[in-house]
Each structure stands twice: as C-alpha cells, then as structure tokens.
Amino acid sequence: MDGRIRHYEDKLSYETDSWDLNEAIQNGERIVVIDARSSEAFEEEHIPGAVSLPHRTMRQETTSHMDREFLYVTYCDGIGCNASTKGALKMAQLGFRVKELIGGLDWWKRDGYPTETSDADSDT
C-alpha cells in the first residue's frame, strides 16, 4: 500500500472533526465525548452530553466504570491546547478506543454547534 494512503487512513482512525462527531451523536452511535480540560473549564462551557474527565486524572481507578465497547472522543479548547492529545494518549494506554476531536471546542462552536454550561439554564 502506498505510504501516503496509509498515513491518511491512520490519521482518520485517530481523529474526528466536529461535523463527523455531531453526525455520530445524532445517529446514536456508541460514543462518549470527554472534556479533557480542567473541571472548571468544563463548568464554564462544554459540548452537550460531554463528561468531564481531566487528562491529569485519567487512570485505571477513574476509568474502571467505563464501557470499553464505546468509542471515546477527547477534546479541549482547540489550537494552543493539548489536553485532548494527552487525554487520547492516556485513554489509549488504558485500552480504550479513542479519537481526538480536531479543533476542539473552538471549532465545534465555529461550526455552529451548541455548547452548554454546568448550569442548564444558561445554554448558549
């Protein structure tokens, strides 16, 4: 196989974008969206339905309850933040299927998708 083709196939198996993630969520695919930033950042704004699991806290004890049949998608703020990369690496090391959301929360919002805060009354 051409090395270029393998490179792009590999890249797509480890990354997703906001459109593909939104489609997967809307289609009811078995996905858990993980906000790998701090709990405080999650409370301020996050992708609806996401769970807060800061990359610094990812370990066997904090993920033992999680279903390994799901695909986990990690995200952070976006460009200039690597919490999603650190989270994806840790989740992979723990044996989970994982992808990283390219562009993070920034591109999620740029693409027009909603966000929410921990206070449900202040959805954006």
Side-chain angles (χ1 to χ4, degrees):
M1 178 187 299
D2 184 321
R4 296 169 295 175
I5 293 170
R6 187 173 324 114
H7 168 77
Y8 292 113
E9 287 176 343
D10 287 347
K11 188 173 180 174
L12 289 171
S13 69
Y14 301 117
E15 296 179 342
T16 190
D17 64 14
S18 58
W19 189 89
D20 287 335
L21 176 59
N22 185 64
E23 285 292 305
I25 292 168
Q26 297 303 314
N27 291 332
E29 294 180 26
R30 295 171 53 107
I31 291 179
V32 175
V33 180
I34 296 177
D35 189 319
R37 305 172 302 155
S38 69
S39 298
E40 295 80 15
F42 176 84
E43 289 176 14
E44 287 180 24
E45 185 176 34
H46 56 269
I47 293 174
V51 296
S52 177
L53 184 58
H55 68 88
R56 288 183 177 93
T57 68
M58 292 177 181
R59 54 186 159 277
Q60 189 64 42
E61 303 80 36
T62 59
T63 60
S64 62
H65 66 285
M66 299 170 86
D67 188 339
R68 293 181 186 273
E69 296 300 314
F70 281 72
L71 172 65
Y72 291 85
V73 176
T74 61
Y75 76 91
C76 59
D77 289 326
I79 298 171
C81 176
N82 66 2
S84 62
T85 304
K86 291 176 180 178
L89 173 60
K90 287 184 180 181
M91 293 297 287
Q93 289 171 332
L94 289 165
F96 291 93
R97 290 185 322 118
V98 63
K99 286 188 177 187
E100 182 178 9
L101 177 62
I102 58 175
L105 187 61
D106 179 41
W107 280 100
W108 177 265
K109 294 188 308 186
R110 286 179 193 232
D111 285 343
Y113 299 116
T115 61
E116 62 186 18
T117 65
S118 290
D119 176 7
D121 293 333
S122 56
D123 288 357
T124 56

